Amino acid sequence: MDQNPNDVIGRKLVPFIQDAYALEHQIVSTLEAHAEEARDFPAVQAKILEHLEQTKQHRDRMAARLDAYGQRPSAVKDALSGVLGNMLGAVSAMRPDTLARNARDEYVTEHLEIAGYTLLITTARALGDAATVEAAELNLRDEIAMQAWLLQHLPEVCIEALQEEGVNLPPGAWEATQPPSTGPGAPPAAR
């Protein structure tokens, strides 16, 4: 039985675009909060602010793809992501090691986005939507780069967070966090 391509797009592709939009929309608020919380760590804050601008572009690209299908971002998903973001923000502000935990949460979020964009790209390709593939691939490229940056800098952020909390670290603590490997994806060299 033949299916109308517009029905398949509406049932299969548009929900993935809506999911991507909702996630990007929520991440804008989260990154704004994380940037403020990282104000004492200029290098980390600068990277967060850079990714915040990318995330706004990602959200706009997904909104444009929804618009191409005559859709608007889902009000239900927006409301849900807003509630989730407010809860995460409240939890974040109450916890110790905020900088390190925010970096961890951002790393996990990048993986969620990478998986979501992979599904979106695959679906769009299968259904012949080259414009959505292009937009999602641009977003995916940024998410992979941010995930790699976070992985590389998590040890540094952890040590900085411990120092900010007033933890007296023994001599060589920074060096002890470094893996013996210096290959791709290895954290930065000891300072």
Side-chain angles (χ1 to χ4, degrees):
M1 169 157 115
D2 290 337
Q3 295 184 36
N4 181 337
N6 290 334
D7 290 344
V8 174
I9 287 172
R11 285 185 297 109
K12 299 296 181 184
L13 181 61
V14 169
F16 281 130
I17 300 170
Q18 289 172 330
D19 289 348
Y21 172 87
L23 189 55
E24 298 291 5
H25 182 71
Q26 176 49 51
I27 293 168
V28 166
S29 300
T30 301
L31 289 175
E32 288 171 343
H34 287 186
E36 176 59 28
E37 291 166 348
R39 68 186 164 278
D40 294 332
F41 305 93
V44 174
Q45 185 183 46
K47 188 63 177 179
I48 294 169
L49 291 171
E50 175 187 322
H51 196 59
L52 172 60
E53 291 311 308
Q54 290 173 336
T55 301
K56 289 176 182 178
Q57 291 174 346
H58 300 170
R59 180 187 60 193
D60 293 347
R61 283 184 193 122
M62 293 300 99
R65 294 314 307 143
L66 287 171
D67 190 53
Y69 287 110
Q71 300 289 317
R72 292 275 171 235
S74 169
V76 172
K77 287 185 181 185
D78 282 351
L80 224 78
S81 68
V83 168
L84 176 62
N86 289 336
M87 286 174 27
L88 289 174
V91 168
S92 172
M94 295 185 299
R95 64 188 184 190
D97 304 322
T98 299
L99 183 69
R101 290 175 192 240
N102 284 353
R104 179 208 53 205
D105 294 351
E106 288 172 18
Y107 182 76
V108 170
T109 300
E110 293 306 323
H111 282 278
L112 178 61
E113 290 179 288
I114 289 166
Y117 281 120
T118 300
L119 292 173
L120 175 55
I121 290 165
T122 303
T123 304
R125 251 192 210 120
L127 297 175
D129 181 351
T132 296
V133 169
E134 181 181 355
E137 284 179 341
L138 288 170
N139 292 2
L140 178 61
R141 178 197 66 210
D142 292 342
E143 306 306 359
I144 290 170
M146 185 61 176
Q147 171 271 306
W149 186 90
L150 285 162
L151 180 60
Q152 182 179 6
H153 293 283
L154 277 170
E156 176 185 346
V157 168
C158 181
I159 293 297
E160 287 181 356
L162 288 170
Q163 290 172 335
E164 179 70 12
E165 294 284 325
V167 174
N168 285 327
L169 299 174
W174 174 254
E175 290 77 13
T177 67
Q178 301 304 298
S181 168
T182 58
R191 352 183 205 176

